[in-house]
Amino acid sequence: KGKKDLNWQHALFLGIIQGLAVIPGISRSGVVIGSALIMGIKRKQAFLYGFLIALPAFLGSFLLTAKDLTFNYFYLAGFLMTIIISYLTLVFLRFIVKTNKLYLFSIYTLILSLIIKFIFIL
């Protein structure tokens, strides 16, 4: 049970750990939240920080690629689906973290990776 509050040393370590997500098959949120929980950080703080720490990277990525975007209804549909699926996944992940069943997230990512692999093989 997490009893510690997040401090700057934890934040620095988790920022470095986030870099492991460049390895294929490593979940950025999973490695950050899992590491925070192992360090004894409170569950709610681990979950929130796991997603707050990603905002600069997401924003930077968007800003670097925004100039190359052209409007297309397929892109718009994909963007809307991404928002919906991301929201549902966050709700699921929040439930998992709150109930201390993080292993369910690993099962979810395994199933999702197999589905995606199967789609791209065809």
Side-chain angles (χ1 to χ4, degrees):
K1 306 225 182 236
K3 295 181 180 178
K4 296 180 186 174
D5 285 324
L6 194 65
N7 61 33
W8 72 269
Q9 293 99 340
H10 296 130
L12 178 64
F13 179 74
L14 293 173
I16 293 168
I17 285 293
Q18 180 177 232
L20 292 176
V22 299
I23 300 170
I26 301 293
S27 165
R28 187 207 57 77
S29 58
V31 76
V32 171
I33 294 170
S35 297
L37 293 175
I38 289 170
M39 291 188 300
I41 305 299
K42 295 176 185 173
R43 287 187 195 140
K44 185 176 180 180
Q45 285 185 352
F47 176 78
L48 292 175
Y49 190 73
F51 288 96
L52 287 176
I53 196 173
L55 292 178
F58 294 160
L59 182 60
S61 174
F62 174 75
L63 291 175
L64 289 174
T65 58
K67 65 182 178 345
D68 299 327
L69 294 177
T70 57
F71 181 77
N72 184 319
Y73 287 106
F74 290 113
Y75 291 153
L76 181 60
F79 178 71
L80 293 175
M81 284 303 295
T82 300
I83 289 172
I84 293 167
I85 297 299
S86 296
Y87 176 76
L88 294 174
T89 302
L90 285 174
V91 169
F92 178 59
L93 183 57
R94 183 172 172 232
F95 166 77
I96 287 171
V97 171
K98 282 177 71 174
T99 58
N100 200 23
K101 296 181 181 180
L102 202 55
Y103 69 91
L104 292 175
F105 186 67
S106 64
I107 294 169
Y108 159 78
T109 55
L110 175 64
I111 292 169
L112 185 62
S113 67
L114 292 174
I115 290 170
I116 291 170
K117 179 105 173 149
F118 179 73
I119 289 171
F120 285 109
I121 288 176
L122 296 177

